[in-house]
């Protein structure tokens, strides 16, 4: 079972899952997003390899067991709201099932209006800012 204190910090969706953002530990590159329930997180925290819950297959899968493109855990953090995890890994090979290095390379960019920071000084953390 997942440690009770860790489990209490998580806010799960209706299916009992938490989003897990996977990032290359040394470059900061965002590789993919997967889903974890308590058992997948427990396996990830205790095995040194990343385990997800597959929503499409309704089963656990450990990244790299069939492809060889394994993810070796370097750290796991929970966000301030408890509804997302940041899993920092050492990625071997492609992270995406398409063979691309990242799922975001495979998905591609969307058209967007680029924002620009104001030129006036803005307090770094104004009171009441979220």
């Amino acid at each position: 079972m997942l440690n009770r204190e860790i489990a209490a910090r998580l806010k799960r969706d209706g299916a009992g899952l938490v989003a897990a953002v996977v990032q290359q530990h040394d470059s900061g590159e965002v590789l993919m997003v997967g889903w974890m329930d308590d058992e997948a997180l427990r396996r990830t925290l205790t095995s040194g390899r990343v385990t997800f819950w597959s929503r499409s297959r309704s089963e656990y899968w450990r990244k790299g067991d069939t492809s060889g493109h394994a993810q070796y855990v370097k750290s796991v953090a929970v966000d301030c709201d408890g509804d997302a995890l940041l899993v920092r890994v050492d990625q071997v090979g492609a992270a995406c099932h398409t063979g691309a290095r990242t799922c975001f390379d495979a998905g591609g960019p969307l058209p967007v209006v680029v924002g620009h920071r104001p030129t006036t000084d803005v307090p770094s953390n104004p009171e009441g800012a979220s």
Side-chain angles (χ1 to χ4, degrees):
M1 280 182 60
L2 183 63
N3 174 293
R4 230 178 311 158
E5 291 175 14
I6 295 170
R9 295 177 62 191
L10 301 177
K11 289 184 188 167
R12 299 157 193 82
D13 69 7
L17 302 174
V18 175
V21 177
V22 181
Q23 180 182 47
Q24 176 64 31
H25 76 101
D26 52 359
S27 69
E29 178 180 35
V30 177
L31 301 170
M32 62 175 285
V33 175
W35 296 92
M36 293 184 181
D37 65 2
D38 286 8
E39 177 59 17
L41 179 55
R42 184 196 68 77
R43 292 180 188 190
T44 298
L45 293 173
T46 61
S47 71
R49 295 269 307 275
V50 182
T51 298
F52 298 101
W53 175 255
S54 172
R55 296 181 300 169
S56 60
R57 296 186 311 261
S58 295
E59 66 183 18
Y60 295 103
W61 60 282
R62 191 169 71 164
K63 186 70 172 170
D65 280 354
T66 56
S67 67
H69 299 165
Q71 295 173 336
Y72 295 95
V73 178
K74 296 299 180 183
S75 67
V76 179
V78 61
D79 79 339
C80 61
D81 295 324
D83 58 4
L85 300 165
L86 177 62
V87 183
R88 300 187 79 223
V89 302
D90 185 10
Q91 174 71 47
V92 175
C96 187
H97 72 281
T98 66
R101 171 72 181 164
T102 82
C103 292
F104 297 97
D105 288 342
L110 298 174
V112 63
V113 173
V114 176
H116 297 282
R117 180 188 301 232
T119 56
T120 60
D121 289 335
V122 177
S124 61
N125 189 13
E127 191 173 322
S130 58

